[in-house]
Amino acid sequence: MSHPQLDEHGRLQHLLSLDGLPREVLLQILDMAEPFLEVTEREVKKVPLLRGKSVFNLFFENSTRTRTTFEIAAKRLSADVINLNVSTSSTTKGESLLDTIDNLCAMNADMFVVRHASSGAPFLIARHLRERGLEHVHVVNAGDGRYAHPTQGLLDMYTIRHYKKDFSRLTVAIVGDVLHSRVARSEIAALTTLGVGELRVIGPKTLLPVGLEQFGARVFHDLRQGLRDVDVVMMLRLQNERMKGALLPSKEEYHQRFGLTPEKLALAKPDAIVMHPGPLNRGIEIDSSVADGPRSVILPQVTFGIAVRMAVMSLLAGQGAQA
Amino acid sequence: MSHPQLDEHGRLQHLLSLDGLPREVLLQILDMAEPFLEVTEREVKKVPLLRGKSVFNLFFENSTRTRTTFEIAAKRLSADVINLNVSTSSTTKGESLLDTIDNLCAMNADMFVVRHASSGAPFLIARHLRERGLEHVHVVNAGDGRYAHPTQGLLDMYTIRHYKKDFSRLTVAIVGDVLHSRVARSEIAALTTLGVGELRVIGPKTLLPVGLEQFGARVFHDLRQGLRDVDVVMMLRLQNERMKGALLPSKEEYHQRFGLTPEKLALAKPDAIVMHPGPLNRGIEIDSSVADGPRSVILPQVTFGIAVRMAVMSLLAGQGAQA
Amino acid sequence: MSHPQLDEHGRLQHLLSLDGLPREVLLQILDMAEPFLEVTEREVKKVPLLRGKSVFNLFFENSTRTRTTFEIAAKRLSADVINLNVSTSSTTKGESLLDTIDNLCAMNADMFVVRHASSGAPFLIARHLRERGLEHVHVVNAGDGRYAHPTQGLLDMYTIRHYKKDFSRLTVAIVGDVLHSRVARSEIAALTTLGVGELRVIGPKTLLPVGLEQFGARVFHDLRQGLRDVDVVMMLRLQNERMKGALLPSKEEYHQRFGLTPEKLALAKPDAIVMHPGPLNRGIEIDSSVADGPRSVILPQVTFGIAVRMAVMSLLAGQGAQA
């Protein structure tokens, strides 16, 4: 059985998940992102690596924010970008997901950036492309259901490496609704692959999956205990639907127990960094004084995110990328 | 009275309908499409023919699929493309269609790609442009009401010529709801102009217009009889609203009588090709085993469609096009 | 206290309002617009002044028409343009306006074109950028609440200067719902700054603000009296919501008293020009025979509008603009 994300030479063909992605590929992406960071600071923020390539943003689930990051990354690589909010289009005419893909491939698509409410949808597309012999068409998962959000995971790794260098010496804590979070799944996979020193997962019992220990994670249900002496605090966004659900008592109680306040953050190492994938629920999972404070690297995460997406896209489809 | 689509030198000024388009112009477009097909297979799928031109996709009726084909074609010609879903914009402020056109012309528009639920809307725009002396602004009809869908008709002709060469030796059957189909009208006009050997139209009495014989068409109400020894089968999409209407007994009965199955297709010539404008209603007008089978050219139609639209756009507004 | 729109060297940093903008800056924009008018008439309507710059159209209030003018202007300057209809995106996830701005700045945005229903929103963004030390990011107000619509005011000044040259010799009348009009506020500010000979404001008492005399305006409640011997008639659009409101008796009576008819226009100077910001309510505030007549410069206004917006954008963020 072949690898879903790599070609027969071990090169990245699709970015679907950080689960199962070899350490070398992961590091290759992080290394490639560095020069792109420099590009985004130039007077002319543009390189011709994807000139004449057709990139389709296929958003079956609405997310202006994530779509914007990919649109900017693709445009700075000089690609032609076509945005399709598919929920409101051909699927309403009863066309299936794979018929849509076949049609766009017949238009000579080079890349699909896919966001979908169903876990596994990008895998389904990638498998279909392989069955059709369309190895030159690439899929980037921009978030599928509860499963994965690999570019978010990658930009988080870039951020940690940027500020803290060696993963093996770090204690990293992921805090919040890990159970429903595709971001958390991608972060855990990447941190494990990169050999993080100690991985902690912190959250209420109702919002943590079982079996976290098998990834080598230490589980905490008390934020204060969990934050003690950590180098990196990775907060998760509390989804709105969760706030009203049966799994949580109330927003106020959540904030009291698991919201990151300056007082709780003081338990971490003095030079600990605070991360969050955005958008923020200020005053719920994180206080404004922390989010906007000196330890926060939330906005640099966004900047690194553009560079990381440029790296992924040019690795997959850049001029001479797979030559 | 002047020709609505041609200028005083007989050159294409607007593409509104295949009805009344001279054979030479039709063939000119098909010939021009060939090199663009080669462009879409390049590493850098881009030519500068429409660089600095402003192409407006004016979609008064939503159709992401068709809009996408024009957007890709225009971007591969290096045009600046602006998408306007007009149903949700200025018309809600009470601005009329022609006021919108006048405004966009004042912004130095070069081309309007128009989709409209009302038959004749693109003609109305073209006439208005002529009255205002704006001969350098071009209109492409991307589907108007039940009247015409000329780029679909053109890509269908390109497809037939690609696989079957000489129209005069061919028997071509159009199958389905011809009465409500702008695609069928455009196909019949083009096939007649190009001198098809034999034209057959197949469908239930309630879904065929009267007077088809005047176009030289042979009418069949039995799919098996109609398909016998044909070279080309052009299926039509059964519109959803039709499935529930009074003109049809049921989806199941429609499929039984007019759905294209492998068994019915076996009555056509052994090398017959099967076409469909998409999106497919699998299991209704066409079986998946036929749509995805060896005789199907449905996906090549999509590929040819991009090249044909690039040809039309560059013929109308390309650098030095009308010099 | 520093100037909200100018940097410490007196150069334009943001375009927020024509109120308080120095006469030299206003004239600088009008002068810069002239060569761009020539660009829009070229075969290749494109200059590389904003190549590699990221321009965000942030429309918190829907306006396809205005958004289109900025999109065209930016694309003709070779910028990368990203359209965000923010009403339907991240704000639904509870993200605040300034968090959205911070995120887009972290993606290396160069310019925000902002439309917002709340007066002052673009000022709020500009102040926030200054507080964050992001002086290289620019804001253009594309209409905020009832407050300002400066690019409309500028294109109106460009139009008047184009047809009438010297402001000091002119009598200019603004007609209609001045009370609720951001366009009128911008026009009055600019005309005052540019030293118009005589400024008249004409409308029903219920639709005129108090204190107009302090701007040196003569107030009229009778259109016939007010139009006598004017050089320029600037009509305002009557908003739909106003037509049904308590401030007006009926559409018919409004037209009778304040609608611009050929007969009323005859009271103005024989070479008077008629302006309107669009979209038109034909038969309400203006008759079609006037809007489409020989004195109307409504469509040239639109053409000048693109050139003026190109001037503003390149003044703010063009290659070497602030060097």
Side-chain angles (χ1 to χ4, degrees), chain A residues 265 274 282 286-298, chain C residues 132:
Chain A
L265 179 58
V274 174
R282 292 169 177 273
I286 191 164
D287 278 18
S288 280
S289 59
V290 174
D292 304 331
R295 319 269 278 276
S296 167
V297 296
I298 295 173
Chain C
R132 295 257 165 171

Side-chain angles (χ1 to χ4, degrees), chain A residues 80-81 89 95 99 106 110, chain B residues 45-46 64-65 75 282 303:
Chain A
D80 288 333
V81 185
S89 74
E95 193 182 37
D99 274 342
D110 295 286
Chain B
K45 292 184 287 286
K46 224 166 166 87
T64 303
R65 188 192 171 102
K75 284 183 169 171
R282 293 168 176 274
T303 303

Side-chain angles (χ1 to χ4, degrees), chain C residues 12 18 21 102 116 167 169 192 197 298 309:
Chain C
L12 193 69
L18 301 186
L21 208 64
D102 282 339
H116 206 290
F167 285 89
R169 299 162 175 256
T192 305
I298 295 173
R309 287 176 179 111

